[in-house]
Amino acid sequence: LIAPIMFEMGDGWYRGDVSIAQEHFATHYVRQKLLSLMAAAPHRHTGRPILTASAPADHHELGILFIALFLQRAGWEVIHLGSNLAADGLAETLVRLRPALLAVSATHEEAARNIVDIGRQVELVPVPRPILGYGGQAFNDNPVLQAATPGVYLGRNAEETVATVERLMREG
């Protein structure tokens, strides 16, 4: 229900039917609701956490927040790092938090290409290093980007992503 409304809001802004203030208000409102739902969700999983974030140069985080909420509801411990994740210093954070998976989203091509920098940081982490997973509108719009991106494509939507994560975690 929410995703189609937010897509329409973005299209309305692009067409000039919706002001930037209206789009920002709607985005902020939905973001707050998603964070509230995440805060209220039970934390049942006792394994290594899953980290979620938007790629460097990507300030859109509603999509990855949906993913974080779906993963959390599936029983995973999720730590959301926010939007515009900086690659610099990420390896130290990964060593400290020891996640099983780092899931990164990209809504546009530049952000998708920046996931390569995230991949370099993941490679600096001693074994067992996290799996790097990615997805988002950039990959849905241009599947060719998948071949240039390190890690595992997680899926076109939250349901596919949770199924892929479940499979990856079973495989070890």
Side-chain angles (χ1 to χ4, degrees), residues 39 46 58 61 63 70 78-79 120-121 134 147 167 169:
T46 58
D58 197 333
E61 70 175 327
F70 274 59
V78 177
I79 300 171
R120 287 187 192 112
Q121 289 292 306
Y134 63 87
R167 179 182 53 79
M169 296 302 107

Side-chain angles (χ1 to χ4, degrees), residues 9 40 57 61 75 128 131 140 155 162:
M9 183 68 82
E61 70 175 327
I131 297 168
N140 295 347
V162 170

Side-chain angles (χ1 to χ4, degrees), residues 2 9 24 29 31 41 45 55 66 70 78 89 92 95 110 118 132 134 137 145 150 152 160 163 166:
I2 295 170
M9 183 68 82
H24 280 204
Y29 180 82
R31 181 179 180 277
H45 196 273
F66 276 109
F70 274 59
V78 177
E92 291 84 9
V95 168
E110 176 193 355
I118 300 294
L132 174 58
Y134 63 87
Q137 196 61 45
L145 289 171
V152 179
E160 285 182 21
E166 295 283 347

Side-chain angles (χ1 to χ4, degrees), residues 155-171:
R156 294 187 58 79
N157 55 43
E159 293 87 3
E160 285 182 21
T161 297
V162 170
T164 301
V165 169
E166 295 283 347
R167 179 182 53 79
L168 290 169
M169 296 302 107
R170 276 193 311 274
E171 293 172 357

Side-chain angles (χ1 to χ4, degrees), residues 9-172:
M9 183 68 82
D11 286 345
W13 171 79
Y14 184 75
R15 289 188 312 268
D17 299 335
V18 174
S19 73
I20 193 70
Q22 291 169 317
E23 189 274 337
H24 280 204
F25 172 79
T27 299
H28 181 72
Y29 180 82
V30 170
R31 181 179 180 277
Q32 290 298 101
K33 292 300 178 191
L34 291 172
L35 290 171
S36 294
L37 290 170
M38 287 178 65
H43 295 82
R44 298 181 297 260
H45 196 273
T46 58
R48 293 167 54 202
I50 293 173
L51 304 183
T52 59
S54 296
D58 197 333
H59 297 277
H60 298 89
E61 70 175 327
L62 288 187
I64 195 67
L65 279 173
F66 276 109
I67 299 300
L69 177 62
F70 274 59
L71 287 168
Q72 197 171 2
R73 286 187 169 178
W76 295 97
E77 178 188 355
V78 177
I79 300 171
H80 182 64
L81 301 177
S83 64
N84 190 27
L85 178 65
D88 291 343
L90 179 60
E92 291 84 9
T93 299
L94 297 175
V95 168
R96 222 172 312 115
L97 296 177
R98 298 184 24 82
L101 174 79
L102 170 60
V104 182
S105 71
T107 58
H108 54 85
E109 189 171 330
E110 176 193 355
R113 295 196 187 285
N114 288 338
I115 294 175
V116 170
D117 296 331
I118 300 294
R120 287 187 192 112
Q121 289 292 306
V122 170
E123 289 299 316
L124 296 173
V125 175
V127 175
R129 63 180 57 100
I131 297 168
L132 174 58
Y134 63 87
Q137 196 61 45
F139 298 100
N140 295 347
D141 291 346
N142 184 1
V144 173
L145 289 171
Q146 293 176 33
T149 306
V152 179
Y153 175 65
L154 297 175
R156 294 187 58 79
N157 55 43
E159 293 87 3
E160 285 182 21
T161 297
V162 170
T164 301
V165 169
E166 295 283 347
R167 179 182 53 79
L168 290 169
M169 296 302 107
R170 276 193 311 274
E171 293 172 357

